[in-house]
Amino acid sequence: MKLNYKIIFHFLGLLVLFNGGFMLLSTLVSFLYKDGVTLQLLSAALITLIVGILSMLFTRKHVKEMNKREGYIVVAFGWIIMTLSGTLPYIFTQSIPSFTNAFFETMSGYTTTGASILNDIEVVPKGVLFWRSLTHWIGGMGIIVLAIAILPLLGIGGMQLFAAEAPGPSADKLHPRITDTAKRLWLIYFGYTAAETILLQVAGMNFFDAINHALCTLSTGGFSTKNASIAYWNGQPIIQYIIIVFMFLAGTNFVLSYFAFKGKVQKIIRDEEFKLYFKFIAIFTIIAALIIYFRADVSASSVDHPMVWGEGESAFRHALFQVLAIITTTGFVTADFTMWTPFLMVFFFGLMFLGGSAGSTSGGVKVVRHLILIKNGFLEFKRSLHPNAILPVRYNTKSISGDIVFNVLAFFILYMLSFIIGALVFSMFELDFVSAIGLSASSLGNVGPALGDFGPVNNYAALPPLGKWWSSFLMLIGRLELFTVLVLFTPFFWRNR
């Protein structure tokens, strides 16, 4: 079967058009704040809109059917096309004149990684900073719709597990309610963003900082308008607690938020992934807080703000914030956690492989996959004792098909192989061992801060150009669940069958 190129370019044109619309919003922000780059942003927006409109016009007569191969291409190339067009505001305003750096920053934005090459964020024009935050927000919502509506149809990474409970598509065919699902999720996503903006403003942030951090929190991105990230507000714990709450919500399956608003609380309480996600955060926070309290000096690894609520509260807050920021792959920082004893550095490195819930905006392996791996591991012990027994893996009281278990196992193996290969390639750029493995884990898991020379208080500016392109590739495959991108490199994918 030949590829339906017209529908592919039609969808790509729609995405570019969508991008141009958000650039106009950034242009408005630039105009309101009179930051001096309004015309440049307007030019970037108009060029993007024209390209999107032309692409849609030339492909308007297309067969309205999309098979799996076309779905893979639209998803993978959609992120690349969005990134390419998304570099224009940086280049036109000369905020990031280098195309390599602009591409890296934009890819980091859309994949909600939050790794930056900007050495002085606070001198960047406000319209550009707002665009930078918007790339996170667009990418975050795109991932939710992708996970709920598209990946289950492509059979990616065991995403079928929660698709049956999603208020929309079934796992095996495109359902008319996908549009309704997307609308509901957009409404929840927008509502959370608005709520966080208001709360942060009430807590003491100015409106511009509040809306930017809300955009980046709900997308689990990590871009900040301050060089010190959230450590800038270490003297205002209430601001950090507000961000903690919304990081937790952003790392939770958005379908559960839908159930919560519908009053179906029992569905949330009984959800195995949510329970394990909550337990992980609680246990890891207690471990980190105790070590910080007894062994680490937070003030030495943070900006100079007084610890206003006592050392115990400070240790708990920093532990909870950083555990959530790493698990949900948000990447905000309140201190340099690599300075909190060698144990905690390795501890946070391990958390980079965890990830939030499936159906959330977070990256990483995802809690549901860890849950299936753990359950299947325990069942292997039973199977070795009772080889003839039928012992299916159960999730939320329902047995899971062997195909999904194999899919999850394959994903995990491929993820670890990608991490190892990623670290090997980074080491070719003469990076030390800690920096190489940190960069690989952070890029692939869309975490943001890495280790070594690219830790929480540093950025990615010192990474060689080829290293930035490699990091961008890892961000993309990590964000799109590996298979979606890597299948394009297989020869059988392109054969007309």
Side-chain angles (χ1 to χ4, degrees):
M1 187 185 294
K2 288 186 177 181
L3 284 170
N4 183 355
Y5 287 104
K6 281 193 173 183
I7 197 169
I8 292 169
F9 280 102
H10 193 78
F11 270 98
L12 293 179
L14 181 63
L15 289 173
V16 172
L17 194 65
F18 189 64
N19 230 14
F22 277 105
M23 282 183 201
L24 284 178
L25 196 58
S26 301
T27 306
L28 178 62
V29 170
S30 174
F31 174 76
L32 292 172
Y33 281 96
K34 296 180 172 57
D35 61 6
V37 294
T38 306
L39 284 177
Q40 293 93 319
L41 286 173
L42 181 61
S43 301
L46 291 176
I47 289 170
T48 307
L49 286 168
I50 290 167
V51 171
I53 290 166
L54 289 175
S55 179
M56 291 189 73
L57 283 175
F58 284 122
T59 57
R60 64 186 183 278
K61 293 179 181 178
H62 60 268
V63 179
K64 294 184 179 179
E65 283 184 18
M66 185 182 288
N67 59 36
K68 281 192 175 185
R69 283 202 303 163
E70 287 143 6
Y72 283 117
I73 292 168
V74 167
V75 170
F77 282 95
W79 246 260
I80 295 169
I81 291 295
M82 293 278 278
T83 301
L84 287 170
S85 60
T87 61
L88 295 182
Y90 296 122
I91 293 169
F92 279 32
T93 62
Q94 290 293 290
S95 300
I96 307 176
S98 160
F99 176 70
T100 294
N101 285 347
F103 187 89
F104 178 90
E105 195 82 10
T106 314
M107 180 62 80
S108 179
Y110 283 120
T111 58
T112 71
T113 304
S116 180
I117 52 83
L118 291 170
N119 288 313
D120 191 352
I121 296 163
E122 293 171 33
V123 300
V124 176
K126 282 185 163 55
V128 178
L129 281 180
F130 187 72
W131 169 247
R132 186 168 169 261
S133 301
L134 271 180
T135 58
H136 268 345
W137 200 72
I138 298 164
M141 189 62 241
I143 285 299
I144 295 173
V145 174
L146 187 72
I148 302 291
I150 299 171
L151 293 185
L153 309 177
L154 302 180
I156 296 297
M159 291 293 109
Q160 302 96 319
L161 283 174
F162 66 89
E165 294 198 8
S170 60
D172 57 351
K173 62 179 180 178
L174 194 65
H175 197 286
R177 283 188 297 162
I178 282 180
T179 308
D180 293 333
T181 303
K183 285 177 184 174
R184 289 164 185 166
L185 294 174
W186 265 109
L187 191 61
I188 292 167
Y189 190 63
F190 181 83
Y192 278 158
T193 307
E196 187 183 355
T197 302
I198 293 165
L199 288 172
L200 287 175
Q201 212 178 347
V202 170
M205 268 193 192
N206 64 54
F207 177 72
F208 184 77
D209 287 339
I211 193 167
N212 275 275
H213 284 90
L215 292 170
C216 297
T217 304
L218 266 302
S219 59
T220 64
F223 281 155
S224 177
T225 55
K226 303 296 181 185
N227 292 325
S229 188
I230 309 303
Y232 183 87
W233 291 278
N234 274 353
Q236 295 169 272
I238 190 68
I239 285 176
Q240 296 179 350
Y241 280 117
I242 290 167
I243 293 172
I244 282 168
V245 169
F246 284 96
M247 278 197 294
F248 178 82
L249 290 172
T252 307
N253 187 340
F254 268 68
V255 173
L256 296 184
S257 289
Y258 171 80
F259 289 144
F261 289 118
K262 293 285 284 184
K264 298 177 181 178
V265 181
Q266 286 300 316
K267 283 206 172 207
I268 301 168
I269 295 169
R270 290 198 298 263
D271 187 82
E272 289 187 57
E273 183 186 32
F274 178 77
K275 287 190 285 188
L276 187 60
Y277 170 65
F278 186 84
K279 286 175 186 174
F280 276 157
I281 291 165
I283 293 165
F284 296 146
T285 298
I286 291 167
I287 293 168
L290 288 172
I291 294 171
I292 292 169
Y293 185 75
F294 289 108
R295 298 286 303 278
D297 182 5
V298 173
S299 61
S301 60
S302 177
V303 292
D304 294 325
H305 281 293
M307 299 304 169
V308 293
W309 288 357
E311 289 185 11
E313 181 279 331
S314 174
F316 169 76
R317 172 164 43 90
H318 283 287
L320 177 58
F321 192 100
Q322 289 309 151
V323 164
L324 259 173
I326 301 298
I327 287 179
T328 63
T329 71
T330 307
F332 283 141
V333 293
T334 58
D336 185 359
F337 57 78
T338 61
M339 302 289 287
W340 292 345
T341 75
F343 173 82
L344 280 182
M345 185 175 76
V346 177
F347 177 81
F348 281 112
F349 172 70
L351 293 187
M352 290 180 186
F353 294 89
L354 193 54
S357 305
S360 71
T361 57
S362 63
V365 177
K366 302 294 193 303
V367 173
V368 69
R369 291 196 181 98
H370 288 287
L371 181 61
I372 291 165
L373 288 169
I374 292 165
K375 285 193 170 193
N376 191 60
F378 278 112
L379 282 178
E380 283 302 321
F381 291 124
K382 287 187 179 181
R383 289 174 187 138
S384 63
L385 293 171
H386 308 284
N388 296 321
I390 298 172
L391 300 167
V393 177
R394 294 186 177 277
Y395 175 70
N396 286 344
T397 71
K398 296 174 185 175
S399 62
I400 299 170
S401 72
D403 288 344
I404 290 177
V405 176
F406 290 137
N407 197 308
V408 171
L409 288 168
F411 178 91
F412 189 76
I413 292 166
L414 193 56
Y415 192 93
M416 296 312 295
L417 277 173
S418 299
F419 160 68
I420 293 166
I421 293 168
L424 283 170
V425 173
F426 280 125
S427 68
M428 291 168 64
F429 304 123
E430 298 184 358
L431 301 178
D432 62 87
F433 175 73
V434 173
S435 297
I437 63 168
L439 276 171
S440 185
S442 182
S443 299
L444 192 62
N446 308 123
V447 178
L451 303 176
D453 295 335
F454 306 94
V457 295
N458 301 314
N459 61 24
Y460 285 54
L463 193 61
L466 284 175
K468 287 168 185 166
W469 285 103
W470 179 244
S471 179
S472 298
F473 175 72
L474 291 178
M475 289 178 204
L476 181 66
I477 65 170
R479 181 76 279 184
L480 299 183
E481 305 283 333
L482 300 183
F483 297 115
T484 318
V485 179
L486 296 180
V487 72
L488 301 181
F489 292 93
T490 57
F492 58 81
F493 179 85
W494 299 99
R495 290 183 195 138
N496 291 323
R497 294 180 297 276

